[in-house]
Amino acid sequence: MGNTMTRGHGGHRRMRPKSALAGRLASAGVTFALALLVVGYLTVPAVWQWKTAASHTNTGEEQVTIEAGPSDPGLVSRLAAATTSPQSPPLILTYHDITYIPGRYNVTPEAFAAQMQLLHDAGWTTVTARQLSDWLRGIPLPPHSVMVTFDDGARGVWKYADPILARNDQHATAYIITGSVGTRAPYYMTWDEIVSLHDSGRWDLGAHTHEGHGTVPIDAAGHQGEFLSNYRYLDALGRLETTEEYRTRITADLDESTNQFAAHGLPEPTFFAYPFSAHVENPPASGAYDAGTLNAAVRSRFEAGMLDSTGAVATTTKTELDDRHLDRMDITDNVSLGKWVDLLTGASPLDPRSVDPFDGTGDWGFRDDASATFTADRVLTLDPGSQTYVVARYARDRTTMWDDYTVSATLTGFESRGEGTSTGLVALTDDPLNQIEVSVSIGSYRIHRGTVDGEVVAEGPLARARSYDVELAVRPEEVTVSIDGHRVGVIPTEGSGPRSAAGGIAVSGVRHSPVGPLPQVRNLTVR
């Protein structure tokens, strides 16, 4: 169980508080005093890590089978008709506990059963850790597939979730806080139960730290920060940890987590889930500190680290993949079945060979007060609003792993040389190294590469005209740029692995004068 972060496109994650929840009390003869203890426990922040001497043996609690009612035919149809593409990131869902105890991060057994039944009835596949490893190596995931994950190791995973998965022949991954196994009885699973999950063949097991699912003091005043991402304040020494001390502390916890799996006869975990999604280090404001210590520690031990986004569609971007991070969508108690389908369909990938950007004009995203109008004759007119520069990205969450496609358009909107209006076409959007933007105005063109202070890799004159046909042919190893049928540049991609470059498309425009003509894009196609 843990706090989660939310993020906007390209933004930082923001902590959302989450309460820790005790396990369900099965005995009807609970005393009033014990009931008060439970109520008190429900109010304790999730980061409070009890280190009790509780037994790690099975409490004997039985599994419970929850029957799901018939799936809504309309929701089944929506899921079955969701878009799919071999050029796609994994869709990953995060759950915490399956229980009847109220709480934001608790999903009832009936709700989870209905969700899994809907996946089954719509013909979706649940992804295994092996399939995810293969995807990282360049092997496409099955169409209509989703990875189901659980963080923390709560008892509801054993008691309710496993029988539901068994009935539907589905698979999931449980990320375990190894230092909490068997504690806070009956909240956390025991090792016996975790071993049983693994032995069923339905479950993969991942690491979620040993005792790092909590906080540490970060200053002399006792303020707290996440265990993994913050340098600890050493009160006895009156200072923060050095980089070496920080590295020693977090790597010792990560190593003990994997050691605990081995000590219980379980395979070494290949994936890691960051507690609270806290993956960005917060080093001290001064002093000599190494950057990237946490990411290096996780990457050297695991194939990837899992992040979380709450309440919104989220898919892995190229920037996250470069850091070996994979994004997940957190499922909370307020996610209705219809909203749950919205998340899956909203994250379902589009295929560049079958998409029409003018089909779903609502899939375009704009910055600030910029906007665009679309006409029946396939003209997109950009309005920068109060901005000089405008960019409109197409279906950003559903195109993040495009790496083999061709986009073309007629760029126009300018009327005379020197008026300050230009129109652009962009490929590999949001790929920091490889994004390519081609902008044209009357009599000239320019090609930028990269997302931050993009480098001009080519520029030159064009025949005087009021419109130009621009094409960007994206391949994993290079991007070829043509204007009016003439090749003007071949730009090699940078990076390594099966996805050295990836990203979707955008259109852009510059309008220096508020009375100048608006940038326009005609006949935009992707193939």
Side-chain angles (χ1 to χ4, degrees):
M1 196 166 47
N3 297 344
T4 338
M5 310 281 186
T6 59
R7 67 169 174 85
H9 289 302
H12 298 290
R13 280 177 163 70
R14 176 168 54 85
M15 182 68 70
R16 287 191 174 180
K18 169 185 174 184
S19 298
L21 298 173
R24 188 184 180 193
L25 293 172
S27 171
V30 178
T31 66
F32 178 71
L34 182 56
L36 288 177
L37 281 175
V38 173
V39 171
Y41 170 67
L42 292 174
T43 66
V44 177
V47 296
W48 183 15
Q49 295 293 295
W50 287 8
K51 297 181 176 59
T52 68
S55 170
H56 284 190
T57 61
N58 199 315
T59 62
E61 191 161 2
E62 297 295 329
Q63 291 186 311
V64 177
T65 300
I66 301 296
E67 297 294 336
S71 295
D72 182 321
L75 296 179
V76 172
S77 296
R78 284 184 58 199
L79 266 188
T83 56
T84 187
S85 171
Q87 298 183 50
S88 68
L91 274 63
I92 310 176
L93 302 178
T94 309
Y95 296 87
H96 290 79
D97 199 4
I98 306 299
T99 177
Y100 291 103
I101 298 175
R104 186 180 181 198
Y105 290 87
N106 292 346
V107 173
T108 67
E110 284 77 11
F112 182 69
Q115 293 164 3
M116 294 303 103
Q117 187 67 47
L118 193 51
L119 279 182
H120 173 273
D121 293 347
W124 279 52
T125 299
T126 48
V127 172
T128 67
R130 172 63 63 85
Q131 287 173 303
L132 188 60
S133 296
D134 289 343
W135 179 82
L136 289 171
R137 296 175 178 85
I139 299 174
L141 292 165
H144 288 155
S145 62
V146 61
M147 190 173 211
V148 178
T149 69
F150 289 83
D151 281 3
D152 305 338
R155 175 63 54 74
V157 171
W158 155 261
K159 185 174 182 178
Y160 296 111
D162 182 53
I164 291 169
L165 295 175
R167 186 179 65 246
N168 294 312
D169 193 23
Q170 292 168 321
H171 201 92
T173 300
Y175 289 95
I176 307 299
I177 309 169
T178 53
S180 295
V181 174
T183 67
R184 298 196 202 175
Y187 181 73
Y188 286 111
M189 288 187 286
T190 66
W191 279 113
D192 287 346
E193 290 162 344
I194 292 168
V195 170
S196 294
L197 291 182
H198 171 262
D199 290 348
S200 74
R202 288 183 291 276
W203 291 84
D204 295 306
L205 301 176
H208 200 34
T209 73
H210 181 61
E211 293 184 339
H213 196 282
T215 61
V216 294
I218 58 174
D219 58 29
H223 295 109
Q224 299 288 305
E226 294 81 9
F227 178 98
L228 283 184
S229 58
N230 288 276
Y231 282 63
R232 184 173 196 158
Y233 186 79
L234 305 174
D235 190 62
L237 300 178
R239 62 171 176 83
L240 289 168
E241 294 172 313
T242 64
T243 294
E244 189 54 39
E245 289 167 335
Y246 167 69
R247 180 185 295 110
T248 297
R249 175 172 60 83
I250 64 173
T251 56
D253 184 87
L254 296 176
D255 289 341
E256 182 57 24
S257 175
T258 57
N259 290 341
Q260 285 294 313
F261 285 101
H264 292 87
L266 296 167
E268 183 175 330
T270 55
F271 293 98
F272 175 77
Y274 286 91
F276 322 120
S277 201
H279 62 287
V280 179
E281 290 172 43
N282 297 309
S286 60
Y289 295 95
D290 293 342
T293 300
L294 174 57
N295 190 40
V298 171
R299 288 185 64 166
S300 67
R301 290 162 174 80
F302 306 97
E303 293 190 18
M306 300 288 169
L307 310 181
D308 275 327
S309 293
T310 301
V313 170
T315 55
T316 300
T317 66
K318 179 61 167 54
T319 302
E320 289 171 332
L321 187 61
D322 286 343
D323 289 331
R324 267 311 198 255
H325 292 155
L326 301 174
D327 217 336
R328 304 181 293 176
M329 297 180 283
D330 220 333
I331 305 302
T332 51
D333 68 334
N334 61 346
V335 175
S336 66
L337 198 55
K339 173 64 174 176
W340 185 83
V341 171
D342 288 342
L343 291 174
L344 284 176
T345 55
S348 292
L350 296 172
D351 192 274
R353 288 168 176 77
S354 60
V355 72
D356 181 355
F358 278 81
D359 248 358
T361 55
D363 289 330
W364 290 86
F366 305 91
R367 184 184 63 183
D368 301 325
D369 61 344
S371 62
T373 57
F374 299 81
T375 61
D377 56 348
R378 302 182 65 79
V379 177
L380 185 160
T381 302
L382 293 166
D383 186 347
S386 62
Q387 311 298 312
T388 301
Y389 174 77
V390 59
V391 61
R393 292 174 173 84
Y394 174 65
R396 187 172 185 174
D397 287 308
R398 306 172 71 186
T399 62
T400 59
M401 289 299 136
W402 282 9
D403 63 357
D404 188 356
Y405 61 95
T406 298
V407 57
S408 60
T410 299
L411 305 184
T412 183
F414 18 81
E415 296 175 358
S416 61
R417 190 190 298 270
E419 67 196 356
T421 294
S422 63
T423 309
L425 186 60
V426 187
L428 298 174
T429 54
D430 302 316
D431 185 325
L433 291 175
N434 297 301
Q435 175 177 292
I436 299 295
E437 179 177 13
V438 182
S439 61
V440 298
S441 56
I442 288 183
S444 66
Y445 75 91
R446 179 172 290 180
I447 304 174
H448 284 88
R449 172 183 180 156
T451 58
V452 179
D453 299 325
E455 169 195 8
V456 177
V457 294
E459 58 184 334
L462 294 171
R464 185 181 178 88
R466 290 189 176 181
S467 65
Y468 300 93
D469 294 327
V470 175
E471 179 183 274
L472 284 72
V474 176
R475 302 296 177 264
E477 68 281 356
E478 64 188 18
V479 179
T480 301
V481 180
S482 300
I483 300 178
D484 289 339
H486 302 288
R487 182 180 298 178
V488 296
V490 179
I491 301 99
T493 57
E494 294 184 7
S496 59
R499 294 169 189 83
S500 59
I505 65 167
V507 294
S508 64
V510 172
R511 186 192 189 209
H512 287 297
S513 167
V515 296
L518 293 170
Q520 287 189 337
V521 179
R522 299 176 180 270
N523 302 320
L524 177 64
T525 61
V526 187
R527 59 187 189 277

